[in-house]
Structure formats: C-alpha cells, structure tokens
C-alpha cells in the first residue's frame, strides 16, 4: 500500500485546482458533463500517481493534468472539440476581412489594389 502525504497533496490541489476549474468550465460548456465532477475525477487520478507527479516541474504537471482531464472528460461522455477544424485558414480570414471592409467603407482595406501594404483607415 502506498502512503500519500496528504498535506503535500493538499498544497498540490491548492496550487493546481484554479486552473483545472477554468479548463473544466471551458470543456464542459454545452455538454452534459459537470465541471465540478470533472475536476474531482482529475484530482482523483492525480492522487493515484502523486508520488510521481510531485517530483515533476510545473509545466510537466500541468501537461499531465490537462491530458488526464481530457481523458476523464471523454470517459464521462464529453466530446473534445477538433482544434484543427476550428482554426480557419489565414488567407480565408484575410479574404473575410477584406470583404467586410469593402462593405463598410467601399474601398479595399489592404493589398495591391489599395496601393499600400498593411491596414488603411
């Protein structure tokens, strides 16, 4: 049986819980998964490997917690967003900005036809 220093784990929770709550709220927005339960499940997983985690640097622990939270979220029935689909192509974004600028101001916003490079007001 592994004995965990509960005082050290309490400090760990105080340090990492606020960021976990923010991430859980974002993940759970629009899903049936409760963010409080998700944070609890993630911290329960962290407790099971705490001996290993407490020797890691903050960046490694944060990365582990994010991965654990994502896995818990999926196990609880949540759907992780596809980050590749959410990021529009840069050229597409510029084209949308140009079109919107023309709608509002009736002239090109930037580019060769504007006669300048960069933004023009």
């Amino acid at each position: 049986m592994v004995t965990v220093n509960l005082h050290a784990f309490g400090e760990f929770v105080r340090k990492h819980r606020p960021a976990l709550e923010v991430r859980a709220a974002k993940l759970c927005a629009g899903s049936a998964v409760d963010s409080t339960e998700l944070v609890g499940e993630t911290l329960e997983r962290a407790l099971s490997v705490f001996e290993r985690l407490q020797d890691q640097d903050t960046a490694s622990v944060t990365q582990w917690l994010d991965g654990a939270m994502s896995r818990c979220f999926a196990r609880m029935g949540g759907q992780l967003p596809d980050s590749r689909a959410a990021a529009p192509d840069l050229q597409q974004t510029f084209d949308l900005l140009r079109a919107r600028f023309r709608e509002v101001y009736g002239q090109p916003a930037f580019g060769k036809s504007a006669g300048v490079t960069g933004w023009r007001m």
Side-chain angles (χ1 to χ4, degrees), residues 23-99:
R23 176 146 164 67
K26 288 178 184 177
L27 276 174
C28 294
S31 81
V33 177
D34 180 63
S35 64
T36 305
E37 288 182 32
L38 180 58
V39 170
E41 286 287 323
T42 304
L43 289 172
E44 188 176 318
R45 301 265 179 219
L47 179 60
S48 68
V49 295
F50 182 63
E51 292 292 320
R52 202 173 31 155
L53 284 177
Q54 72 185 68
D55 295 333
Q56 302 293 320
D57 60 50
T58 302
S60 297
V61 171
T62 300
Q63 185 177 13
W64 187 91
L65 287 169
D66 283 348
M69 180 171 280
S70 295
R71 289 186 297 278
C72 288
F73 182 69
R75 255 186 252 108
M76 294 170 81
Q79 295 291 322
L80 293 173
D82 184 7
S83 61
R84 289 171 287 152
D89 182 289
L90 187 57
Q91 186 60 48
Q92 182 182 13
T93 301
F94 281 136
D95 292 343
L96 289 170
L97 287 170
R98 281 186 188 105

Side-chain angles (χ1 to χ4, degrees), residues 3 12 16 21 33 85 107 114:
T3 305
F12 176 88
H16 295 284
E21 289 172 343
V33 177
Q107 60 186 353

